[in-house]
Amino acid sequence: MKRFFETIVEKILMASGAITSLTILLIIIFLFSQGAGLFNTPVVEEGYKLAVNPENPVSDLTPEEIKEIFDGEIVNWAQVGGDDEDIVVFRLNDVTSYVSEEELGEGYSLLPQCLSRIVSENKPIIAFLPDTYIPENFSGKILETGDIKPSDFFAGEQWFPTSQPAPLFGIIPLLLGTLLVSVAAILFALPLGLAVAIYMAELASTKMRNILKPVIELLAGIPSVVYGFFGLVVIVPMIHDFFDLPVGESGLAGAIVLAIMALPTVITVAEDAIRSVPRTTKEASLALGASHLQTIFRVILPYSVSGIMAAVVLGIGRAIGETMAVLMVTGNSAVIPTTLLEPVRTIPATIAAELGEAPSGGAHYEALFMLGVILFIITLAISITVEFISARRPKQQM
């Protein structure tokens, strides 16, 4: 009977492991399948076309050029390889400036013919037109914008997902913002976390260690939104006043909040690594005449360096994946950061802020899933690094 129950428990555990692994695999497949559709999406908003006069020598435009034309930043065709003429932007609601209500016909039945004539009679024009109103005998020239390319996404420097007629999905500002805040956070957290770990493992009394341990574990259990609120009402005003900035929401505020959040991870893992140093190694150092501090810095820390590195990498992973706290204190400005005192936007914060407003199946929706793919790859790389570093520890102890 005992063997029977052991077999049942074994099968249940095996089934649980298989179900968990399959679920994770399906999530990964779903993530990649949703994100990959971005590169089959037209540059111009789906259901619309860009048209120019047939005499216009310009035949294609980049997404950045399209945005700058419709935003009024590019005002002459010579700036994009055309003739020296001022660009005239045309949208559908401008039609009554070119033709009368009578020419449009009853119920706008003659609108397609009117649009064709408007484009053919105005050489400097660029028209943003719905597909349904472009007739078969259209007199204008449709620009070949093609689909969103991987280079537009991975090397793009602008993130404007709601820009019309061509949204921009460049991830460089988001990726740099994520790395800047995360690396700065671990640079803040590592010295303090390592100092606390050394104190708890080697210098603190048992009573003090028993007090500090629950406090550090409590820090790990505080919800991230509480850290974000603390950063918003305490850290952000301090940075604003100290550096005399227009706004206190910045990469520095995010780095400080993330450093506080990463401290429990850094302290716990580093302390475990330090306490795992064999007692005989420490006693040998002391027997040779080294002081306690000399033993710590010249024997214990070099011996446990792989565990400390694992703490650093896990701390970075904790910082990179954080969402709510960063969303609240970094300013959420999707521009390439040059200093920590500027507002930045991270990948997790972008997904959290925009996914609820992105139409399901659209380019914006797919771009956010592709951001999730990038975040998954970064997290996977961090996990592999931790495994690689941890695998070296037994070799050092031989």
Side-chain angles (χ1 to χ4, degrees):
M1 182 62 70
K2 182 178 180 181
R3 178 60 182 168
F4 173 75
F5 283 113
E6 289 179 352
T7 303
I8 294 297
V9 171
E10 181 180 342
K11 296 298 182 183
I12 292 173
L13 294 176
M14 184 182 301
S16 300
I19 292 172
T20 302
S21 301
L22 181 61
T23 302
I24 294 173
L25 181 61
L26 290 175
I27 291 173
I28 295 171
I29 292 173
F30 174 75
L31 189 65
F32 276 82
S33 64
Q34 292 294 312
L38 175 67
F39 305 121
N40 295 321
T41 305
V43 167
V44 176
E45 186 177 345
E46 196 165 357
Y48 289 83
K49 291 288 190 297
L50 290 179
V52 296
N53 186 276
E55 298 179 12
N56 193 325
V58 175
S59 58
D60 57 22
L61 294 168
T62 66
E64 290 80 8
E65 289 172 341
I66 295 171
K67 176 184 178 298
E68 290 173 2
I69 287 173
F70 279 81
D71 286 351
E73 298 173 19
I74 293 178
V75 296
N76 194 289
W77 281 112
Q79 295 176 260
V80 289
D83 297 331
D84 186 12
E85 293 180 301
D86 289 340
I87 297 173
V88 176
V89 174
F90 177 87
R91 294 181 175 86
L92 191 60
N93 55 6
D94 298 324
V95 67
T96 53
S97 301
Y98 292 83
V99 296
S100 64
E101 295 283 347
E102 290 76 15
E103 290 176 291
L104 290 172
E106 186 177 353
Y108 283 19
S109 60
L110 300 178
L111 178 59
Q113 292 79 3
C114 291
L115 293 176
S116 179
R117 190 173 80 246
I118 291 170
V119 174
S120 64
E121 293 176 354
N122 294 273
K123 186 180 177 183
I125 201 168
I126 179 170
F128 177 45
L129 304 175
D131 289 342
T132 53
Y133 294 133
I134 299 178
E136 293 183 3
N137 58 344
F138 186 63
S139 301
K141 180 172 67 174
I142 302 297
L143 292 181
E144 297 295 332
T145 53
D147 295 337
I148 297 173
K149 299 186 288 292
S151 59
D152 297 332
F153 182 77
F154 293 106
E157 297 183 356
Q158 298 184 66
W159 179 268
F160 289 100
T162 57
S163 174
Q164 287 186 330
L168 300 179
F169 300 108
I171 67 163
I172 295 297
L174 310 181
L175 186 59
L176 292 180
T178 301
L179 295 178
L180 178 68
V181 172
S182 301
V183 172
I186 205 62
L187 290 178
F188 293 152
L190 179 60
L192 181 59
L194 186 57
V196 174
I198 293 172
Y199 174 76
M200 290 179 60
E202 294 294 327
L203 302 175
S205 63
T206 303
K207 182 179 179 180
M208 181 59 67
R209 187 181 300 117
N210 292 337
I211 295 174
L212 289 177
K213 196 76 172 177
V215 172
I216 293 171
E217 291 173 354
L218 180 63
L219 284 176
I222 296 176
S224 60
V225 68
V226 176
Y227 282 109
F229 185 73
F230 169 77
L232 193 62
V233 300
V234 177
I235 296 175
V236 167
M238 289 175 59
I239 292 175
H240 173 271
D241 296 338
F242 185 81
F243 292 100
D244 193 24
L245 299 175
V247 292
E249 290 87 351
S250 60
L252 180 59
I256 293 174
V257 172
L258 286 182
I260 297 172
M261 297 179 68
L263 273 176
T265 301
V266 175
I267 293 172
T268 302
V269 178
E271 185 201 3
D272 290 342
I274 293 171
R275 292 175 69 86
S276 68
V277 176
R279 184 174 180 178
T280 53
T281 302
K282 294 185 282 187
E283 290 176 347
S285 174
L286 295 171
L288 290 173
S291 67
H292 194 181
L293 286 179
Q294 287 175 323
T295 300
I296 290 173
F297 289 105
R298 297 189 181 184
V299 176
I300 296 175
L301 291 185
Y303 190 96
S304 58
V305 67
S306 63
I308 294 172
M309 286 301 299
V312 173
V313 176
L314 285 173
I316 293 176
R318 176 75 171 90
I320 285 178
E322 181 50 48
T323 301
M324 187 54 65
V326 177
L327 183 64
M328 296 173 69
V329 301
T330 55
N332 296 308
S333 179
V335 296
I336 295 179
T338 55
T339 69
L340 273 173
L341 298 179
E342 297 175 354
V344 299
R345 176 179 283 194
T346 64
I347 291 176
T350 301
I351 297 173
E354 298 180 7
L355 188 59
E357 300 177 359
S360 178
H364 189 189
Y365 179 87
E366 293 168 339
L368 293 176
F369 269 92
M370 187 55 68
L371 287 180
V373 170
I374 293 173
L375 200 60
F376 167 77
I377 293 172
I378 293 174
T379 306
L380 179 63
I382 291 173
S383 299
I384 293 173
T385 303
V386 172
E387 291 294 330
F388 175 75
I389 293 173
S390 300
R392 297 174 54 191
R393 296 183 65 185
K395 296 180 181 179
Q396 292 181 350
Q397 293 174 0
M398 288 177 62

